[in-house]
Amino acid sequence: MNLGIFSTFYVGIDIGRYKIEGVKIKKSGKNLQFINQVSVPYSTKVFDDDEIVDENEIISSLGKVGKTLKVDVEDFIVTSIFNDKVLFRQMKMPKMTKKNQIIDAAKFQIVKELSISSANITVDVDVLQETDNLSVSAFIVRNEDIEKFKNFFFKANLPMPDILDAGYFKFNYLVEKKLGSGISVLAFEDNASTYIQIFKDGRFIVIDSIPMGTAEFEEDNPAAENIHYLQLSDEVQRLVRMLISRQSLQMPVNNVICVSEKMGHVDEWVKNLKEADMGNISSYCDFAGLKKDVPAGAYSLAMRGVLQNAKS
């Protein structure tokens, strides 16, 4: 029996492209205590582009993370499914008051648009109230992908996660309250794509992606790294301006926050973006106030658990 709602220990597990990282924190009243962290690099090639080629390496590494963090069935566990397994759709809908009604309406539109069975997908929504209607961000995952992801935990002898989040949201929970008013951008570089989220007054508005990621340059090749981030910075500027125009936003960009699956290369990206007139450019760790050796994604996911339980 998972007693997550009564938990005092929160675990964030970030299954990345190159390693699995975990963080465990304890909440006592209003106080948070950092208990432990772990990073387990893969010993073999796990991904070929977006396809998993070695599930056993994920399971083995996940087991090591669970053992180091001493994950218990009563811990509140949050993890995230791979970015490429989660589809995103932006929709306009009439005003509705109940979330399950909004999900059902979104699911109806998605099934019609994608010509798939409603029994084969899971849909969640993020809703922004507008004057005359709802702006709905819908996130779609195939049930078979959810079951495969859960199976990693089962085979690693770990409890099932309490929350299975979308991978491109895993960095949101440490920064949302710090964004302030105006327009902010969170840019997350994954293996094959870079995801751009736009926030208005600290609230998520829209997400889109660029088909460029960390797989495009080799480690220990400064020239290739520099060219990659010059090109990526240009594409980020282009997409941000397009999204702001598409959303009819007039305010300037206040913050651009950069985070990557290869965190050691973020400073090069920040340096290139600072040459553009796009507001305050910073690395994720600097903006969130994290030490660089703290697993950023895992810590943010653990905080998602804290925030969720606080709502409950």
Side-chain angles (χ1 to χ4, degrees):
M1 178 178 180
N2 195 313
L3 303 176
I5 197 168
F6 304 112
S7 293
T8 55
F9 290 96
Y10 298 84
V11 175
I13 296 178
D14 181 10
I15 303 178
R17 301 292 179 176
Y18 307 100
K19 58 190 172 184
I20 300 181
E21 296 183 314
V23 165
K24 189 170 189 174
I25 58 180
K26 180 180 181 181
K27 187 173 187 291
S28 300
K30 295 183 178 180
N31 298 319
L32 292 176
Q33 179 185 357
F34 193 98
I35 301 298
N36 202 0
Q37 68 181 63
V38 60
S39 179
V40 181
Y42 299 134
S43 60
T44 64
K45 183 178 180 180
V46 171
F47 290 89
D48 185 5
D49 290 329
D50 288 330
E51 295 300 316
I52 299 174
V53 294
D54 192 345
E55 291 186 1
N56 289 332
E57 181 65 17
I58 292 178
I59 295 163
S60 173
S61 300
L62 192 56
K64 293 174 184 176
V65 167
K67 186 175 181 180
T68 300
L69 296 181
K70 298 180 180 178
V71 174
D72 185 84
V73 68
E74 294 186 6
D75 295 341
F76 195 102
I77 303 170
V78 183
T79 190
S80 59
I81 198 166
F82 303 122
N83 302 321
D84 56 287
K85 300 301 182 184
V86 185
L87 297 177
F88 170 81
R89 291 290 186 276
Q90 193 84 27
M91 303 175 177
K92 297 290 185 181
M93 291 186 179
K95 285 187 178 180
M96 292 177 247
T97 57
K98 296 182 179 180
K99 186 175 180 180
N100 63 332
Q101 292 178 323
I102 299 170
I103 290 175
D104 288 343
K107 201 170 188 179
F108 177 81
Q109 290 191 34
I110 291 162
V111 167
K112 187 176 180 180
E113 175 188 344
L114 300 180
S115 299
I116 56 178
S117 169
S118 62
N120 294 335
I121 59 172
T122 294
V123 175
D124 200 2
V125 295
D126 186 81
V127 180
L128 181 64
Q129 183 78 47
E130 296 183 348
T131 304
D132 299 319
N133 55 26
L134 300 177
S135 177
V136 177
S137 301
F139 306 93
I140 310 106
V141 188
R142 294 188 304 174
N143 292 334
E144 64 182 87
D145 289 326
I146 293 175
E147 292 307 311
K148 178 180 284 190
F149 208 82
K150 287 181 176 180
N151 201 39
F152 293 153
F153 282 76
F154 175 77
K155 290 185 176 180
N157 294 315
L158 292 177
M160 289 295 105
D162 295 88
I163 296 177
L164 183 59
D165 207 347
Y168 38 66
F169 281 164
K170 66 186 179 184
F171 294 104
N172 288 24
Y173 309 107
L174 294 180
V175 301
E176 285 178 332
K177 291 185 177 180
K178 296 187 177 185
L179 294 176
S181 60
I183 303 300
S184 295
V185 177
L186 179 59
F188 165 39
E189 184 189 28
D190 196 9
N191 180 61
S193 300
T194 296
Y195 297 87
I196 305 298
Q197 292 186 60
I198 305 292
F199 296 81
K200 179 183 177 183
D201 300 332
R203 180 69 190 271
F204 168 78
I205 298 293
V206 69
I207 187 172
D208 209 327
S209 63
I210 299 163
M212 296 178 65
T214 56
E216 293 194 356
F217 68 93
E218 297 177 355
E219 296 285 349
D220 303 319
N221 189 338
E225 176 191 9
N226 184 54
I227 291 170
H228 169 76
Y229 284 114
L230 279 170
Q231 294 173 341
L232 182 58
S233 296
D234 287 343
E235 289 300 307
V236 168
Q237 294 174 62
R238 180 193 61 78
L239 181 56
V240 167
R241 293 190 176 101
M242 185 184 72
L243 290 174
I244 287 176
S245 175
R246 188 187 296 167
Q247 296 295 315
S248 300
L249 301 173
Q250 301 297 325
M251 293 179 285
V253 175
N254 291 350
N255 301 293
V256 179
I257 305 157
C258 301
V259 64
S260 174
E261 284 286 357
K262 291 184 177 179
M263 293 292 283
H265 300 275
V266 168
D267 289 342
E268 180 69 22
W269 190 11
V270 169
K271 182 185 75 173
N272 282 295
L273 273 175
K274 279 185 175 179
E275 297 177 3
D277 185 19
M278 289 185 66
N280 180 44
I281 315 292
S282 58
S283 71
Y284 182 87
C285 289
D286 287 343
F287 188 88
L290 279 183
K291 295 180 180 179
K292 293 187 183 297
D293 64 339
V294 174
Y299 189 80
S300 182
L301 288 169
M303 285 303 301
R304 166 83 196 270
V306 173
L307 294 170
Q308 188 69 34
N309 252 3
K311 290 180 183 179
S312 300

